[in-house]
Amino acid sequence: QDMEVMQEQYIVDVIAAMSGKFMPQRETPKGSKKKNNNEQDMEVMLRPAKSAWYVMAQSPAFDPLILCLIFVSSICLAFENPYTDYDSKLSIWFQTVDAAAVFVFTGEMIVKMRAYGLMKPPSNLPDVAPNPYFKDAWNWIDCLCVVTSIIDWVTALVA
């Protein structure tokens, strides 16, 4: 039942983010003064919706998809052999998987950068949002791997 509620809220968030509609106000924290309806309505109208980037990055399928691709890419890397003929079907398959992985990982990096900000979070993020992209050490590692992979991919195309 909780999963259904999360999925419904996710769909509502995606539709709201894509259409540019405004999100409803969060509940007032305990101990704070309750606002009247006019103040609440004004606050809702002035606060921007969560961006589509944030909704995508927070999707329940986003991290598992990336982890699955990391696993597949690692398996391919483990079986790749420098003595395999470059034009063999297996080598071409490994190159295709590698190119797809670079493309998806680049997309993941861009989504997270747009969703969480580079060094400072966007103003429309909720209080519980993750740190900006470059304030997380794992993202530095991700960025280094993506940039290195892009350089490797480009040099292979040029050579």
Side-chain angles (χ1 to χ4, degrees):
Q1 183 181 8
D2 291 336
M3 186 59 123
E4 282 182 24
V5 171
M6 285 176 47
Q7 288 174 340
E8 288 174 9
Q9 183 59 44
Y10 172 70
I11 291 169
V12 168
D13 286 347
V14 168
I15 292 170
M18 295 294 185
S19 66
K21 301 284 186 223
F22 296 99
M23 300 302 294
Q25 181 178 358
R26 289 182 282 191
E27 292 183 25
T28 308
K30 290 182 180 179
S32 64
K33 182 183 171 193
K34 189 152 178 129
K35 298 177 181 179
N36 65 35
N37 285 343
N38 290 338
E39 288 175 338
Q40 285 178 339
D41 291 344
M42 183 58 82
E43 225 174 90
V44 169
M45 286 173 30
L46 293 176
R47 189 180 57 223
K50 293 180 203 171
S51 72
W53 299 105
Y54 181 79
V55 172
M56 239 187 303
Q58 291 297 310
S59 165
F62 189 74
D63 285 336
L65 175 72
I66 298 301
L67 286 173
C68 183
L69 187 58
I70 290 170
F71 180 74
V72 168
S73 179
S74 298
I75 295 295
C76 288
L77 187 61
F79 284 106
E80 202 168 1
N81 184 346
Y83 301 112
T84 304
D85 182 25
Y86 186 76
D87 294 326
S88 71
K89 288 183 180 182
L90 184 63
S91 181
I92 291 171
W93 190 81
F94 284 144
Q95 293 168 25
T96 305
V97 170
D98 185 49
V102 169
F103 180 77
V104 173
F105 293 147
T106 303
E108 176 213 13
M109 184 176 75
I110 291 169
V111 166
K112 285 184 173 182
M113 285 177 170
R114 295 295 311 257
Y116 307 137
L118 294 177
M119 294 301 283
K120 129 182 147 166
S123 60
N124 62 344
L125 287 185
D127 297 334
V128 294
N131 288 331
Y133 190 81
F134 285 117
K135 298 252 179 169
D136 184 354
W138 286 109
N139 289 336
W140 279 94
I141 294 170
D142 284 349
C143 185
L144 179 68
C145 290
V146 167
V147 169
T148 303
S149 296
I150 290 172
I151 291 170
D152 179 51
W153 192 64
V154 168
T155 54
L157 284 176
V158 172

